[in-house]
Amino acid sequence: MKKGVFGIVIAITMLATLIAGCSGDNGKTVIRLGEVTRSVFYAPQYVALEQGFFAEEGLEVKLQTTAGGDKTMTALLSGAIDVALVGSETSIYVYQQGAEDPVINFAQLTQTDGTFLVSREDMPNFAWEDLKNKDFLGQRKGGMPQMTSEFTLKKHGINPQQDLKLIQNIDFANIAAAFASGTGAFVQLFEPQASIFELEGKGHVVASFGTESGQLPYTVYMAKASFIDKNKESIQKFTNAIQKAQKWIVLHSPEETAKVIAPHFKDSDPVVLASAIKRYLTQQSYAATPMLSEKAWNNLLDVMENAGELKERVPMEKLVNNDFAKNAVNRHP
């Protein structure tokens, strides 16, 4: 996370005009939603869109992809979007900058890391020590994918800065292409890219960072405290829709879910989508409810502390509002 950018953004936010909670042409309340990337990892979100769960709540959600945590948070702070789907660590970075209008986490979508370790070579007997002295194409410093990978590597006795060549100078959107063109012996990837590489014979999934790093508030819906205060009804309706989608996805097969979310992955093979969804379901990456747990929050702080990205441990009640999630669970148990 490029934390320095937040200081600038916070300073200019006071000048931004927030166009939020307005009504669309159909009379529904418009919510501008920015997602940090387009991924099968966010399948429940696309289910909520395609199954009409947001519409049932009287919302028109306008989705845009704002690639990267820093860009997504900048869009949120400047008023370009109303709600962000991004890692909870970004809200902590903003808090550490002394924001007067902090970013509040109100609904969790995923509860584990969503990346996988992909090897260029087939390694049926993979061991973590196989990474030593190899080129590892990782994610951006300060972002959750990189922090969870370093947390996992250290757990297995590997020093990321000394025991391997860690490549972190490639933009998030170009990591997969860089690996495909020959950079790195290993790469850290989200789905469906990991499954696509397996299908194409370009890589092999050998481990899951989600399984290794435990439960985390990995991808969460958040908004500025001021927006939530002024739009409580809309935030509740938004959370209700997410809860409906979270219930839906566990009651349907990966193939059914793949068919529903296919419009958001027009270039992806349905078999690949189903494979990716099954992989995430198996390791329980999709949160069962929108509620954030204190145990997962503390695990996040441990991961950030381990990466040297935490100035102080931030109590969960400072940046998390579970009221909307609790109401949604009670209404749609």
Side-chain angles (χ1 to χ4, degrees):
M1 173 62 61
K2 298 175 182 176
K3 298 188 286 297
V5 76
F6 290 142
I8 299 172
V9 172
I10 291 168
I12 67 170
T13 298
M14 297 297 293
L15 303 175
T17 301
L18 182 64
I19 305 170
C22 57
S23 295
D25 295 336
N26 55 11
K28 290 182 168 59
T29 300
V30 174
I31 297 290
R32 298 167 301 163
L33 170 62
E35 59 178 5
V36 67
T37 188
R38 178 61 50 90
S39 175
V40 180
F41 195 37
Y42 310 147
Q45 171 178 270
Y46 310 124
V47 166
L49 287 164
E50 295 302 318
Q51 293 297 99
F53 296 149
F54 288 122
E56 288 175 4
E57 295 288 337
L59 300 179
E60 180 185 350
V61 172
K62 294 187 175 181
L63 177 65
Q64 58 182 286
T65 303
T66 44
D70 49 352
K71 294 182 179 68
T72 303
M73 189 53 64
T74 297
L76 183 67
L77 293 174
S78 65
I81 58 175
D82 306 316
V83 174
L85 176 65
V86 66
S88 286
E89 82 284 354
T90 57
S91 67
I92 293 175
Y93 289 143
V94 172
Y95 180 81
Q96 289 183 159
Q97 289 288 322
E100 293 183 5
D101 190 3
V103 174
I104 304 299
N105 301 263
F106 67 85
Q108 180 172 251
L109 189 71
T110 64
Q111 62 184 9
T112 74
D113 183 282
T115 61
F116 298 87
L117 180 63
V118 178
S119 169
R120 191 172 298 282
E121 305 296 331
D122 188 14
M123 304 180 72
N125 299 313
F126 170 78
W128 286 95
E129 63 182 17
D130 294 333
L131 282 167
K132 290 187 175 181
N133 301 315
K134 300 295 195 311
D135 290 351
F136 176 37
L137 183 50
Q139 300 278 337
R140 174 179 45 81
K141 186 180 185 300
M144 276 306 297
Q146 183 59 33
M147 289 193 290
T148 53
S149 76
E150 292 194 16
F151 184 79
T152 298
L153 292 172
K154 290 177 182 178
K155 185 176 80 171
H156 288 280
I158 299 172
N159 185 315
Q161 281 72 41
Q162 296 178 10
D163 295 337
L164 47 77
K165 182 181 179 183
L166 185 58
I167 304 169
Q168 291 180 283
N169 61 348
I170 295 176
D171 189 68
F172 176 83
N174 298 323
I175 289 174
F179 184 75
S181 65
T183 301
F186 293 89
V187 65
Q188 182 181 3
L189 293 175
F190 282 93
E191 289 285 14
Q193 194 60 59
S195 288
I196 290 172
F197 275 6
E198 284 194 314
L199 186 66
E200 295 176 345
K202 295 178 180 177
H204 307 269
V205 172
V206 294
S208 163
F209 287 107
T211 299
E212 292 287 337
S213 56
Q215 287 201 355
L216 296 159
Y218 198 82
T219 325
V220 178
Y221 293 104
M222 58 189 73
K224 290 192 292 186
S226 60
F227 179 86
I228 294 175
D229 287 343
K230 295 174 184 176
N231 299 276
K232 288 189 171 83
E233 185 177 356
S234 295
I235 292 295
Q236 186 62 66
K237 290 178 176 180
F238 187 99
T239 309
N240 293 345
I242 293 302
Q243 166 68 2
K244 291 178 187 177
Q246 288 171 326
K247 286 182 60 180
W248 190 97
I249 202 167
V250 297
L251 296 174
H252 293 79
S253 70
E255 289 75 19
E256 290 174 302
T257 301
K259 185 176 181 180
V260 168
I261 71 172
H264 298 272
F265 300 91
K266 294 180 180 179
D267 296 327
S268 295
D269 186 322
V271 174
V272 170
L273 289 181
S275 170
I277 293 164
K278 182 178 181 180
R279 195 167 261 158
Y280 283 135
L281 284 169
T282 298
Q283 66 182 38
Q284 299 182 323
S285 287
Y286 302 130
T289 76
M291 293 180 61
L292 281 77
S293 75
E294 189 163 6
K295 181 179 179 181
W297 182 263
N298 287 331
N299 191 31
L300 167 65
L301 298 182
D302 291 342
V303 169
M304 294 181 69
E305 213 164 40
N306 175 79
E309 298 289 348
L310 193 65
K311 291 181 180 178
E312 61 177 313
R313 294 184 73 86
V314 183
M316 179 173 159
E317 57 267 22
K318 291 279 188 182
L319 298 178
V320 175
N321 184 341
N322 265 328
D323 291 345
F324 303 102
K326 289 176 183 176
N327 291 337
V329 171
N330 288 335
R331 292 179 189 181
H332 307 284

